[in-house]
Amino acid sequence: MRFFCNLQTITRQETMKYDVCIIGAGPAGYAAAMRALDLNKSVILIEKEKVGGAGLYNGAISSKTFWELSKDIQTARRRLAQYSPDQHFSVTYQQVLGQVRGGIANRRFHLEGQIEGLLKQEGIRLRYLKGYARITDAHTVEVQTGTDKELIEVENIIIATGSSPRKLPNIPIDEKIIVTSDGVENFENFPKSLVILGAGVIGCEWATIFSNFGYTAVNIIDKADRILSFEDDDVTDVVEANMRKQGITVHKKSNLLSMKIADGEVEYIIEYTDGRKEMHRVEKVLVSVGRVPNTKNLGLEEVGVTLLPNGHIYNNDGQTNIPNIYVAGDISSDVALVNVAELEGRHVIERMYGLSNEDLTYNHVSTIMFVQPEVAGVGMNEKRALKEKIPYKVVKIRYDMIPRAIAMRNNDGFFKILVTNDNEMKILGMRAVGVHASSAIQAVALLISMDKGVEELADMIHPHPSIIEGIQECMRMLLGKSVLKPQFFKGMLMCKSCDENGCTNDIVYLK
């Protein structure tokens, strides 16, 4: 495999005014550049570090490769214990890192290789420049490459500089002993003990990863009384039960009082809401308390781009208060996900050139949480429906009732679907918890985006045996024509009507 490491050495030098200048070559910036080239626009793509951004090197590809490997190793260890208990299974952290870096290299090959090919292709008006960009006025960008500076004249600008892990001033993060997600690859070995500050998605994913490998005692510090507090309780109940089963300790309702490095390890003190205090000592710490937009040193204040109090850039459907300057990805105030960033990057190009007259909607964004078991979702959950006082019907089937899950001997999970509480029963949202969860939600996401009801999936012939047959049975329950009836499988099948006052008893026929 060939790698493309020196893109800045093969850029075409052209004296011209570019149609689009894109600052940042992460998921949003890269997608925007490719969409602009589709429209035969001249593009200059500026990146200060690496093509692919945090989504490739410290985010989705990296952490999810860790997760897949940890899951495989956990399964291999369990199978070996089941069938060959005398055999011993082990793996080193460096072996795992080798696989992770191989996955990153594969994706890097795609992204950088395509840019190199485009730069050499006649008729493609693309320039890639590695350097630090600063907007000097609405139509000029200054780029510093080493000791050299260059002024670029542009018609439109897209800011797609992404985000970085949030750091706390009272925590001595050195990215070796106390790390953010950027520093996990700096570990030389599996830590014997690890505490994670923050029980959001990233914190819970890394807790799952290290516990799956089986070499690390994992603790989580969380201020809330539930992990993943934005999700429905039945979702977090399953995840938290598996955390306990895997030996993960969650310090709920706790606040970090102090943390310091001592003799190559970390001492920290936490205080619970009841006043109790505890001191702990661990080998490593992972700080996972959110991310902050990368807006510094871009010249935004000088040119008058409006920043929000949380550091994000004010925008109306991707357009800032300066008409020819746009934003996409984590730096905007919208959902910080790779798939959303790519969508936003493409959307602002289409809006820029009059191909899109409708605002981007986030009602059918699909998400995955790589925990144990896998959690996927689209649209609203029950917490949001209740908060917004939207009456709804909810139907649920446990994996125990799905033939494929039974065959896999892996029935820990469920499907849950929300629809409007009327005769149309348009789909509001779905949560999938369990094996193949991320592969199960897309059909429902499509129906949400089309503002459709449940009949299409209820009557479709699904492959058998497959996990998605559970979705079909949910739709049939809503229509009162399920094969298996809820009244005979209490706790396994459920169909209810809900509003801000609560839910009814189980309903068999809702037509």
Side-chain angles (χ1 to χ4, degrees):
M1 181 178 292
R2 183 183 174 197
F3 300 109
F4 303 83
C5 303
N6 298 303
L7 288 175
Q8 69 272 24
T9 66
I10 58 171
T11 57
R12 285 205 298 264
Q13 300 292 326
E14 301 179 15
T15 303
M16 60 183 295
K17 180 176 182 178
Y18 294 91
D19 295 322
V20 186
C21 172
I22 302 169
I23 304 173
Y30 195 97
M34 295 306 113
R35 189 69 186 105
L37 292 178
D38 291 342
L39 304 179
N40 197 31
K41 303 301 179 182
S42 58
V43 178
I44 180 165
L45 178 62
I46 305 168
E47 170 57 48
K48 68 177 182 178
E49 292 180 359
K50 303 170 183 176
V51 172
L56 173 57
Y57 291 92
N58 306 111
I61 297 298
S62 174
S63 64
K64 278 48 180 181
T65 306
F66 267 109
W67 183 80
E68 293 287 357
L69 294 170
S70 76
K71 190 175 64 169
D72 287 348
I73 288 168
Q74 182 190 56
T75 300
R77 187 178 286 113
R78 287 177 176 174
R79 292 289 183 264
L80 197 63
Q82 182 178 2
Y83 297 112
S84 301
D86 296 332
Q87 300 295 315
H88 176 68
F89 181 90
S90 65
V91 65
T92 69
Y93 196 68
Q94 293 304 315
Q95 288 174 318
V96 171
L97 279 181
Q99 291 295 317
V100 171
R101 288 166 180 162
I104 292 171
N106 287 348
R107 185 57 175 165
R108 179 185 176 188
F109 175 83
H110 299 155
L111 300 178
E112 292 191 358
Q114 177 166 270
I115 289 179
E116 182 174 334
L118 288 168
L119 290 169
K120 296 176 179 178
Q121 186 172 329
E122 292 297 326
I124 300 296
R125 295 180 293 168
L126 170 66
R127 183 181 177 195
Y128 173 85
L129 193 56
K130 185 170 184 179
Y132 293 83
R134 185 174 177 274
I135 303 170
T136 58
D137 63 47
H139 294 283
T140 309
V141 176
E142 178 187 85
V143 183
Q144 182 166 345
T145 56
T147 59
D148 298 330
K149 288 185 179 180
E150 181 180 354
L151 291 178
I152 309 294
E153 189 178 357
V154 299
E155 186 65 32
N156 298 287
I157 298 171
I158 299 176
I159 306 169
T161 48
S163 62
S164 300
R166 183 184 301 277
K167 297 183 179 181
L168 302 177
N170 59 329
I171 297 179
I173 295 173
D174 62 355
E175 298 294 7
K176 293 181 181 179
I177 297 174
I178 302 179
V179 305
T180 66
S181 56
D182 287 354
V184 171
E185 290 190 33
N186 295 332
F187 293 164
E188 294 182 1
N189 303 295
F190 288 108
K192 294 179 181 178
S193 55
L194 171 72
V195 65
I196 298 174
L197 180 59
V201 175
I202 296 175
C204 287
E205 287 183 347
W206 281 112
T208 301
I209 288 166
F210 279 103
S211 65
N212 281 351
F213 283 124
Y215 298 101
T216 306
V218 180
N219 302 276
I220 302 177
I221 300 172
D222 188 26
K223 291 181 179 180
D225 59 353
R226 303 184 68 88
I227 63 169
L228 304 170
S229 56
F230 56 88
E231 258 305 346
D232 289 341
D233 291 351
D234 53 359
V235 173
T236 57
D237 284 344
V238 175
V239 175
E240 192 168 331
N242 276 283
M243 282 187 169
R244 289 194 299 268
K245 190 184 300 183
Q246 293 188 206
I248 299 173
T249 299
V250 182
H251 300 295
K252 299 179 184 177
K253 301 180 182 180
S254 65
N255 184 47
L256 179 68
L257 294 182
S258 66
M259 179 175 285
K260 65 178 181 179
I261 298 174
D263 301 322
E265 294 188 333
V266 181
E267 290 182 355
Y268 66 93
I269 299 174
I270 55 176
E271 182 178 26
Y272 294 92
T273 53
D274 62 6
R276 290 180 297 118
K277 294 181 181 179
E278 293 178 352
M279 175 182 285
H280 296 268
R281 190 179 180 97
V282 293
E283 192 172 306
K284 303 288 184 182
V285 176
L286 172 59
V287 178
S288 178
V289 289
R291 299 181 69 85
V292 294
N294 296 328
T295 57
K296 292 183 178 179
N297 303 318
L298 292 173
L300 302 179
E301 296 89 344
E302 291 83 350
V303 297
V305 173
T306 301
L307 296 177
L308 299 173
N310 61 6
H312 290 91
I313 298 176
Y314 164 80
N315 69 94
N316 177 18
D317 195 37
Q319 188 174 34
T320 72
N321 59 299
I322 297 179
N324 71 307
I325 299 180
Y326 296 76
V327 294
D330 290 6
I331 203 165
S332 73
S333 56
D334 299 313
V335 185
L337 296 168
V338 168
N339 52 348
V340 173
E342 290 182 346
L343 185 65
E344 289 177 343
R346 295 169 59 84
H347 176 71
V348 295
I349 290 292
E350 293 177 354
R351 180 177 177 184
M352 189 182 294
Y353 291 104
L355 298 181
S356 176
N357 296 319
E358 296 183 359
D359 287 359
L360 197 59
T361 176
Y362 299 88
N363 292 331
H364 50 88
V365 173
S366 300
T367 62
I368 314 171
M369 290 188 283
F370 291 82
V371 288
Q372 186 76 6
E374 183 178 322
V375 176
V378 62
M380 68 174 58
N381 58 13
E382 289 193 79
K383 280 190 174 180
R384 179 179 161 193
L386 292 171
K387 182 180 179 181
E388 298 182 10
K389 297 182 180 181
I390 299 173
Y392 64 93
K393 296 174 185 177
V394 57
V395 62
K396 184 174 178 180
I397 183 170
R398 286 189 53 83
Y399 269 34
D400 309 70
M401 305 299 294
I402 302 175
R404 179 63 183 275
I406 295 171
M408 295 176 72
R409 313 308 298 149
N410 191 347
N411 55 5
D412 186 16
F414 60 85
F415 290 138
K416 181 172 69 172
I417 299 171
L418 277 67
V419 302
T420 56
N421 197 351
D422 53 32
N423 290 331
E424 290 187 275
M425 288 191 287
K426 291 183 178 180
I427 301 175
L428 298 172
M430 174 181 175
R431 291 300 180 270
V433 180
V435 63
H436 293 185
S438 60
S439 302
I441 62 173
Q442 202 54 40
V444 173
L446 178 62
L447 291 180
I448 293 174
S449 69
M450 297 173 65
D451 197 30
K452 291 284 188 177
V454 302
E455 291 86 355
E456 284 83 353
L457 283 181
D459 297 332
M460 182 185 297
I461 298 177
H462 288 62
H464 175 79
S466 66
I467 290 294
I468 58 174
E469 285 181 292
I471 299 175
Q472 182 176 42
E473 194 68 351
C474 283
M475 302 304 187
R476 288 170 173 168
M477 275 192 280
L478 285 166
L479 294 168
K481 58 181 184 181
S482 57
V483 174
L484 300 173
K485 307 302 182 186
Q487 67 265 38
F488 297 113
F489 298 96
K490 297 289 186 180
M492 301 296 181
L493 303 175
M494 177 270 286
C495 201
K496 296 181 179 181
S497 290
C498 302
D499 57 29
E500 64 270 21
N501 298 316
C503 296
T504 65
N505 293 325
D506 284 8
I507 295 174
V508 181
Y509 297 104
L510 290 173
K511 288 202 304 180

